Amino acid sequence: MIDNPGNIRTVRVEDEMKVSYLDYAMSVIVSRALPDVRDGLKPVHRRILYTMGEMGLSATSSYRKCAAIVGEVMGKYHPHGDVALYDALVRLAQDFSMRYPLIDGQGNFGSVDGDAPAAMRYTEARLTAVAGEMLADIDKETVDFEDNYDGTQKQPTVLPAKLPNLLVNGSSGIAVGMATNIPPHHLGEIVDATIALIEDPEITSDGLCQYVSGPDFPTGGTIFRLEKQRNAITGEWETVDAIRQMYAHGRGRVVMQAQVAFEETRGDRMAIVVTELPYQVNKAALLEKIADLVKDKRIDGIADLRDESDRDGMRMFIEVKRDSNPRSVLNNLFKHTALQAAFNMNMLALVDGQPQTLPLKSVLQHHVAHRREIVRRRTEFDLGRARARAHILEGLKTALDHLDEVIKTIRASADTDVARTNLMTKFDLSELQAQAILDMRLARLAALERTKIEDEYLEVIQLIAELEDILANPARVLAIIKDELLDLKKRYAGERRTRVADDASRELTDEDLIADEDVVVTISGRGYIKRQPVDTYRRQHRGGKGIIGHVTREEDAVEHLLVASTHDWALFFTNRGRVFSAKVHAIPDASRQAKGLPIINMPGVQVEAGEVPMATITLPEFAAGSYLVMATRRGIIKKTPLEQFERVRSTGIRAITLDEEDELAWVDVSSGEDDVIIATAQGMLAKFHENEVRAMGREAGGVIGIRLLKREGDEVVAMSVVQPGADLLVLSETGYGKRVSIDDFRIKHRGGQGVRLISLEGRKTGLVAAVQQVTDLDEELVLISAQGQVVRTELDTVNRYSPNARGVIVMRLNEGDRVVGIAAFRPGLAEALDSDDNGGPDASPGGPGPSVGGTS
């Protein structure tokens, strides 16, 4: 039997397990897994940054091998494995993990595809400028230091952290029984919210959400503010602001979605192009997941899948089968893959060494309190330095004021110690002052040097007063914090990357996935229709021959051309006076050489045999108080309220009742108080006020607008509502054209023969082919001939002439060809257009052009 010494105690195993487990849990929580609310860093990250600062690896220094950095950190402050330590360093350098990286890495630091970084012996690193702001003033006793693991070094318990790093870069970690997951945010928004909190400490979480619109992930994408949640009391679904709730309670869920766009590929196929992914989504794994879903036939409609990403950015290309609905394919991808994911936020951080779940306001309050402490301690440090310097300068001033006596005292002393003692006794100096006098160089005795000492003393005294005022006035401390935050915002914030949308539960429509862009719509005389991007046609000078824009069948000429937005409504008015409607993006897209598809095959357009579209207009909406003004080939005009055409059946509705020998040819939109012009093939024009045409129902037949000349081929070739200050662009069948000011024509009553619009010269000019109203010399023209020849040119190359002039050659035609259509549009200000006659890079209009009415 062994005697029980006095230092051995008896405990129950379960009690020891409880105590030891709690000790272990708190060690993991405090010393490993959770960030500090003040600097947003875990111990390992704090030690890495501090060590790199000690090594002099600033943003302007040269790079050092990561192996050297890891070895330094591990040897001094972090006695753990080098692999885990290097992984932590790598994450701080990844621009797809950190919104504002704290380490500037050189070499392979991994990728969004999940590729592992290169070994630490190959990579190099240094601190970024943002990391420099985290370490600023650490040498001024602004933070507390503690012993390292073996007591040989001192390490900071927290960094000064000018920026709210916990929110700006976020954090994630799994402790024992708890976890943190904080998303990154935009620095500018967090700064604005912090300043708002400083100015109004009573501001609510909703008030802060006016500045912080949501997380800002480094990979971009879209997040959604609204979300459907089930009411815990009533059990009913209701829409809530998920982001506001998340910030109010410190935990919540936000839905992330990839940034996608639709592109047209070979033939009439569509492709889904992904350019931005949700945060922390592995691109390679995502592509593999999509491939597996296609292979298992859980997602149908995907013809091809490839990764086209390069150094210029991300690009995942998903081609959709010709007979599949791209919207359905995309919705299935959102449902079954990480193209749409949720970020579950849990704002858990250490506050005074204890884990707490913090709402947005509390995080900002802790940061402001931390910065107040930093500014206070920094000011006290600077004040101590200033007072010490003032003390030395006062001693030097005393010496200069009694220079001869000081020199005599020093010369009479046996050694330095005696001299110091004699100076202290005779001139009432401190030991520091006496030593400074003894250390003073003889050069300081010059007149200018003596003046410098006096000036420096005055500056130090003023600095001391300034620092004392800061310490005595808390409002000045807050002002300093605000100024520093604004400086950070100015230098580092940049643009927000993640878009914020309203509702993720709304099902996407075709229109949501189609780019809002300008297109050229052409319709042939036999009813073939197609659309093409405006930049299909290169800009040329007046008189160019253009390019083939529409390949026609034998005896099938292009009759209608207009420029519109893909999101506009298109109303098709047939020769028999009926109207059909469709979205512009529903018009089939085809190449320049293609003839298009029969309009009868378009959804919502069921024309009868022998019925062809004669007038087409585009509208962004059906505004109340507006009217449709219609004109026929034989000069009949009619006005009907626009809202009567908002709901059009697929079989069409009646727009005007016609005589058997007449056709509806032109349609335009008016406000009810406009002037109207009607132009004829024989070069005549009538201008009258639309009040002379009363509003009628859809079944009415209209009244006489202009009386045609009794000459062969005379008919109405244009009708439109007058725009103030506009010109008329007139084009003859042989390509002669000019601009005429509408103000050159007086308003007369409807029903007359009109006045001369252009001088026609028989076969040389032919009849009037098209008349287009233009309002801005920055507009561009697209002209088309019966054989499909297209010219795109600038409007200002066509000069203005009088009504009796013939004009100049605007478009040169092939033998037997004739002009049939013209359209004008205004390109975006930012586009770069090539003006070479021989062609060049395609031009891309940036903004929507005006709607073009009738057969122009």
Side-chain angles (χ1 to χ4, degrees):
M1 181 176 179
I2 301 176
D3 294 334
N4 185 14
N7 61 347
I8 297 179
R9 58 190 179 89
T10 302
V11 296
R12 293 171 56 87
V13 173
E14 53 266 35
D15 294 338
E16 181 62 27
M17 287 293 293
K18 289 180 182 178
V19 173
S20 298
Y21 186 77
L22 286 175
D23 290 343
Y24 161 74
M26 288 306 299
S27 174
V28 172
I29 291 169
V30 175
S31 303
R32 187 178 302 179
L34 298 185
D36 193 293
V37 70
R38 295 169 293 177
D39 61 6
L41 297 173
K42 301 176 186 178
V44 62
H45 300 134
R46 188 178 303 116
R47 291 163 181 168
I48 290 172
L49 298 181
Y50 178 68
T51 301
M52 294 179 70
E54 280 189 316
M55 297 172 69
L57 300 179
S58 67
T60 57
S61 72
S62 59
Y63 294 89
R64 285 286 301 276
K65 287 288 186 182
C66 290
I69 298 172
V70 170
E72 191 82 2
V73 177
M74 187 167 56
K76 287 185 175 181
Y77 306 113
H78 199 73
H80 298 280
D82 59 341
V83 175
L85 188 56
Y86 181 54
D87 288 343
L89 185 151
V90 164
R91 187 181 184 278
L92 294 178
Q94 292 175 336
D95 58 2
F96 54 88
S97 296
M98 304 286 287
R99 181 60 180 85
Y100 299 91
L102 300 178
I103 289 180
D104 178 12
Q106 184 169 266
N108 175 17
F109 278 77
S111 72
V112 73
D113 286 316
D115 298 324
M120 68 180 80
R121 61 182 178 274
Y122 300 120
T123 57
E124 298 177 334
R126 65 183 179 186
L127 294 174
T128 62
V130 175
E133 305 294 347
M134 295 287 293
L135 292 165
D137 303 321
I138 197 170
D139 56 344
K140 293 186 177 182
E141 300 178 1
T142 51
V143 295
D144 294 332
F145 280 73
E146 63 183 5
D147 290 336
N148 68 340
Y149 62 92
D150 61 0
T152 59
Q153 303 283 339
K154 291 288 186 179
Q155 61 183 358
T157 59
V158 68
L159 296 187
K162 279 188 182 179
L163 69 156
N165 185 63
L166 183 68
L167 291 171
V168 168
N169 275 318
S171 183
S172 64
I174 301 175
V176 178
M178 59 186 69
T180 185
N181 199 27
I182 303 172
H185 292 79
H186 186 256
L187 176 59
E189 293 181 356
I190 297 300
V191 166
D192 291 341
T194 307
I195 292 175
L197 177 65
I198 291 174
E199 294 176 346
D200 180 15
E202 302 301 322
I203 191 172
T204 63
S205 292
D206 283 350
L208 292 173
C209 286
Q210 295 178 7
Y211 304 94
V212 182
S213 55
D216 186 26
F217 299 109
T219 53
T222 302
I223 59 174
F224 297 94
R225 176 174 301 280
L226 304 180
E227 187 178 26
K228 286 186 176 180
Q229 296 181 4
R230 189 182 296 276
N231 189 300
I233 299 175
T234 63
E236 297 181 354
W237 288 95
E238 56 187 16
T239 301
V240 299
D241 191 326
I243 292 180
R244 287 180 180 265
Q245 282 193 352
M246 183 173 67
Y247 287 140
H249 300 99
R251 59 193 312 155
R253 173 180 179 269
V254 62
V255 176
M256 307 177 294
Q257 198 173 87
Q259 187 67 19
V260 299
F262 267 31
E263 284 188 9
E264 296 173 354
T265 62
R266 52 193 175 182
D268 56 349
R269 287 188 176 183
M270 299 292 291
I272 301 168
V273 177
V274 182
T275 55
E276 297 173 7
L277 288 177
Y279 186 48
Q280 296 175 331
V281 169
N282 185 311
K283 175 161 62 68
L286 174 62
L287 288 167
E288 185 177 351
K289 174 68 172 179
I290 295 174
D292 289 341
L293 291 172
V294 173
K295 181 179 179 180
D296 297 339
K297 297 184 178 181
R298 295 182 60 189
I299 293 182
D300 295 324
I302 295 180
D304 190 16
L305 173 67
R306 59 181 180 268
D307 185 2
E308 298 180 348
S309 305
D310 56 21
R311 66 180 60 188
D312 295 325
M314 180 183 299
R315 180 180 169 89
M316 289 172 51
F317 186 88
I318 306 171
E319 187 173 16
V320 180
K321 293 180 179 178
R322 183 176 288 105
D323 57 348
S324 297
N325 186 335
R327 181 195 63 185
S328 299
V329 174
L330 183 58
N331 282 337
N332 279 327
L333 289 173
F334 284 149
K335 181 178 180 181
H336 296 290
T337 72
L339 283 178
Q340 178 170 301
F343 187 96
N344 295 293
M345 187 185 85
N346 184 17
M347 203 112 67
L348 184 69
L350 295 176
V351 179
D352 296 329
Q354 299 297 319
Q356 292 185 20
T357 299
L358 303 167
L360 174 63
K361 182 177 179 179
S362 294
V363 176
L364 296 179
Q365 285 174 327
H366 285 294
H367 175 73
V368 172
H370 175 58
R371 287 305 299 170
R372 290 178 68 171
E373 178 70 10
I374 296 299
V375 172
R376 181 189 65 80
R377 295 179 64 164
R378 181 183 67 192
T379 305
E380 289 176 347
F381 180 85
D382 290 339
L383 180 60
R385 287 283 185 91
R387 285 173 174 169
R389 182 58 181 167
H391 183 66
I392 297 297
L393 291 172
E394 287 171 354
L396 296 179
K397 279 173 55 62
T398 299
L400 294 175
D401 291 341
H402 305 85
L403 184 58
D404 293 338
E405 296 180 48
V406 168
I407 294 175
K408 183 178 179 181
T409 302
I410 295 174
R411 293 182 63 183
S413 302
D415 54 28
T416 303
D417 293 337
V418 174
R420 184 187 309 113
T421 303
N422 291 338
L423 289 174
M424 293 169 60
T425 303
K426 188 170 184 178
F427 299 101
D428 193 21
L429 299 175
S430 69
E431 183 176 352
L432 291 175
Q433 290 174 322
Q435 186 62 45
I437 292 172
L438 292 173
D439 294 338
M440 184 171 61
R441 297 169 56 216
L442 292 176
R444 302 297 298 272
L445 301 179
L448 289 178
E449 293 298 324
R450 296 176 64 179
T451 302
K452 288 182 179 179
I453 291 175
E454 293 173 353
D455 291 342
E456 183 184 358
Y457 180 70
L458 291 176
E459 291 178 1
V460 172
I461 293 300
Q462 292 174 355
L463 176 60
I464 291 173
E466 177 77 7
L467 296 174
E468 288 177 341
D469 184 64
I470 292 174
L471 292 174
N473 190 350
R476 292 205 59 186
V477 174
L478 293 176
I480 291 173
I481 296 172
K482 287 168 58 177
D483 291 341
E484 291 177 346
L485 287 171
L486 289 173
D487 181 61
L488 291 174
K489 176 183 176 181
K490 179 180 179 181
R491 288 191 289 154
Y492 305 116
E495 297 293 329
R496 184 178 176 85
R497 298 180 185 176
T498 301
R499 302 156 190 83
V500 181
D502 284 337
D503 191 359
S505 62
R506 181 178 64 86
E507 186 175 354
L508 293 173
T509 64
D510 290 328
E511 194 164 345
D512 293 326
L513 305 176
I514 293 175
D516 189 355
E517 60 182 359
D518 288 346
V519 293
V520 175
V521 178
T522 55
I523 307 173
S524 72
R526 299 185 63 169
Y528 281 81
I529 187 172
K530 70 174 182 179
R531 65 177 169 91
Q532 300 164 262
V534 172
D535 57 8
T536 302
Y537 308 103
R538 293 187 293 270
R539 186 174 65 182
Q540 301 179 12
H541 287 306
R542 173 178 61 81
K545 293 195 66 174
I547 59 176
I548 292 295
H550 191 113
V551 176
T552 56
R553 296 176 56 184
E554 185 178 357
E555 299 179 354
D556 182 19
V558 173
E559 293 289 347
H560 315 288
L561 179 146
L562 67 154
V563 178
S565 166
T566 51
H567 286 198
D568 286 348
W569 281 99
L571 295 181
F572 304 98
F573 295 82
T574 70
N575 57 335
R576 294 185 179 178
R578 293 201 303 155
V579 60
F580 301 87
S581 71
K583 280 288 190 176
V584 172
H585 61 69
I587 298 172
D589 180 83
S591 65
R592 290 191 295 106
Q593 292 77 17
K595 66 187 177 185
L597 296 175
I599 195 171
I600 192 173
N601 292 339
M602 282 186 57
V605 182
Q606 298 181 13
V607 298
E608 298 175 353
E611 188 177 17
V612 294
M614 297 298 292
T616 304
I617 64 171
T618 59
L619 301 164
E621 59 183 357
F622 295 87
S626 298
Y627 296 86
L628 284 185
V629 181
M630 292 165 269
T632 70
R633 292 286 187 190
R634 299 179 64 84
I636 300 299
I637 189 168
K638 176 190 173 183
K639 183 173 71 174
T640 303
L642 179 59
E643 57 263 29
Q644 294 190 19
F645 299 89
E646 185 170 4
R647 293 177 177 84
V648 179
R649 299 185 297 269
S650 60
T651 55
I653 59 175
R654 175 67 57 188
I656 186 174
T657 299
L658 300 171
D659 294 338
E660 290 185 3
E661 299 180 356
D662 202 359
E663 291 182 335
L664 176 62
W666 288 85
V667 181
D668 205 350
V669 181
S670 75
S671 65
E673 299 293 334
D674 296 314
D675 295 331
V676 178
I677 55 171
I678 302 179
T680 69
Q682 289 291 345
M684 306 300 291
L685 181 133
K687 179 181 177 183
F688 53 89
H689 199 282
E690 71 166 288
N691 283 341
E692 296 201 356
V693 183
R694 64 179 178 86
M696 307 175 186
R698 290 190 293 103
E699 300 293 333
V703 295
I704 295 177
I706 189 172
R707 296 187 185 274
L708 302 177
L709 299 181
K710 295 182 179 180
R711 298 178 186 174
E712 183 180 357
D714 197 18
E715 63 181 8
V716 172
V717 294
M719 182 281 300
S720 63
V721 174
V722 173
Q723 302 177 38
D727 287 350
L728 287 178
L729 183 65
V730 188
L731 202 65
S732 74
E733 290 179 325
T734 59
Y736 281 87
K738 66 176 182 178
R739 284 188 293 118
V740 185
S741 174
I742 292 182
D743 295 336
D744 289 347
F745 303 96
R746 293 187 294 111
I747 295 178
K748 295 188 175 183
H749 294 294
R750 68 169 178 84
Q753 291 185 342
V755 296
R756 177 63 58 189
L757 171 62
I758 186 174
S759 177
L760 300 177
E761 301 178 10
R763 296 181 61 184
K764 184 173 183 178
T765 61
L767 300 177
V768 175
V771 179
Q772 170 69 38
Q773 202 173 174
V774 293
T775 58
D776 191 340
L777 289 180
D778 290 334
E779 291 183 1
E780 294 191 2
L781 306 176
V782 178
L783 299 82
I784 194 163
S785 72
Q787 294 180 2
Q789 204 77 5
V790 173
V791 167
R792 177 180 175 185
T793 188
E794 296 170 322
L795 175 61
D796 60 7
T797 63
V798 182
N799 294 330
R800 180 186 283 179
Y801 292 89
S802 68
N804 293 321
R806 178 190 63 194
V808 296
I809 287 289
V810 178
M811 181 178 185
R812 299 189 183 277
L813 301 168
N814 296 323
E815 185 71 25
D817 200 3
R818 63 184 176 88
V819 175
V820 295
I822 183 173
F825 70 96
R826 183 176 295 106
L829 296 177
E831 66 171 331
L833 295 176
D834 181 86
S835 57
D836 186 359
D837 282 337
N838 297 322
D842 289 346
S844 301
S851 298
V852 179
T855 58
S856 68

